[in-house]
Each structure stands twice: as C-alpha cells, then as structure tokens.
Amino acid sequence: MQLALIRVDHRLVHGQVTMGWTRSVRADALVVVSDRAADDPFEASLMRMAVPHGVAIEIWGVTEAADRVRAANLPAGRVLLLVATPVDLLPLFAAGLSNTEVNIGGVRSPGASVKLTKEVHATPEEIDAWKALAEKGVELSVQWLPDQKRRSLNADVVRR
C-alpha cells in the first residue's frame, strides 16, 4: 500500500475527489474514514456509486481504520485516504500513520465558529486537532483542486 494522499474534506466523496484528486494522484483505491458513513448504508451506497470505474472504495469507522493502520492492513496500490474532520484523522496518526502532509479541502463542521480560511472553518475541538497535527510536523495544505496553489494552514492554527 502506498498512501498517495490524505485529504480532509467534510463532503468526503464528491466530484473534486472523484474527478480531480483520484486522477491526479492516480489512486487505485479510496479509503473513507467516517463513523457516519460507515454506519449509514444509504450514504455508503451513494459513495460507492460515485467512485470512478476501476477505483476500489473501502468505508471504515474511525476505530476500524486506526486498527487497520496499526496492523498495516490497508488496500494494495495507491490509496487516497479521506476523512471529514481533523478529529477523525488524529487517531490514525496515533495508530502509526506517519505522512508528512495532509491536503485540506472544505471543512465546515456543525458549530464551527472559527474561520481559518474561506474553505476551512473549525470548532474548538478541530483547532486542537489541527494544532496536534502541526506539532507532529505535518504540513497542512489547503488546496481545493490539484492545479490550484497550495496554502499552508500551519501558521494559522499554531497562532490560535
């Protein structure tokens, strides 16, 4: 397994991911980490239908994903890992995920009162998660589409 990209985007599987990012990183598989999606067969079904032909998809809850990271039991090939919030990402790093960069799309959780960028709004819990990731040396890059310029979020969250 090669982790081609980690993306935080509250929409999870949608057009920018399926058409832009999956192609850009040449992903063989999407791994969606979301308790909500894992527990909702209808939402999971919609995600499966949106994935491009030839790309596999796995949908796991956060605990299952952390267990799989710990056991190095991830899909073969180039994997695009998707989570909705940085809070869902922290347990994966605690389980041994060691990537140095996280790509960030739109993140707007209910109750998010802190605007970090036009695309990224955060709850206090999410601010803490972003800070924890930055303190681990993870580069947090806001970038909607592969051909757009990246903007670092690290300085914004460390100041808070």
Side-chain angles (χ1 to χ4, degrees):
M1 187 277 313
Q2 179 184 358
L3 200 50
L5 182 72
I6 299 171
R7 183 167 172 90
V8 181
D9 190 319
H10 74 274
R11 299 164 295 172
L12 296 170
V13 177
H14 59 90
Q16 288 174 348
V17 168
T18 61
M19 300 308 290
W21 290 105
T22 300
R23 288 179 180 173
S24 175
V25 301
R26 299 180 323 278
D28 300 306
L30 300 180
V31 172
V32 175
V33 178
S34 166
D35 290 335
R36 183 191 77 230
D39 292 340
D40 184 342
F42 181 71
E43 184 173 358
S45 176
L46 290 175
M47 287 184 190
R48 285 186 178 92
M49 287 189 290
V51 174
H53 179 73
V55 177
I57 183 169
E58 299 279 339
I59 302 170
W60 303 331
V62 175
T63 300
E64 178 183 0
D67 290 345
R68 286 177 175 262
V69 167
R70 204 172 287 107
N73 183 15
L74 298 172
R78 295 178 57 81
V79 174
L80 192 164
L81 180 75
L82 296 163
V83 298
T85 75
V87 174
D88 289 347
L89 190 54
L90 273 181
L92 306 185
F93 275 88
L97 198 63
S98 60
N99 281 56
T100 58
E101 184 173 353
V102 170
N103 172 273
I104 305 164
V107 182
R108 292 191 181 102
S109 299
S113 59
V114 180
K115 183 178 179 180
L116 296 171
T117 72
K118 181 178 98 176
E119 304 88 357
V120 182
H121 299 198
T123 65
E125 182 183 23
E126 289 170 338
I127 293 288
D128 291 343
W130 289 126
K131 281 183 184 179
L133 290 166
E135 289 167 359
K136 289 180 183 295
V138 177
E139 176 59 33
L140 307 170
S141 299
V142 178
Q143 184 180 16
W144 276 76
L145 296 168
D147 62 348
Q148 292 179 328
K149 185 177 176 187
R150 294 178 188 181
R151 178 175 181 248
S152 178
L153 190 66
N154 291 60
D156 295 326
V157 297
V158 170
R159 283 194 303 254
R160 302 220 174 248

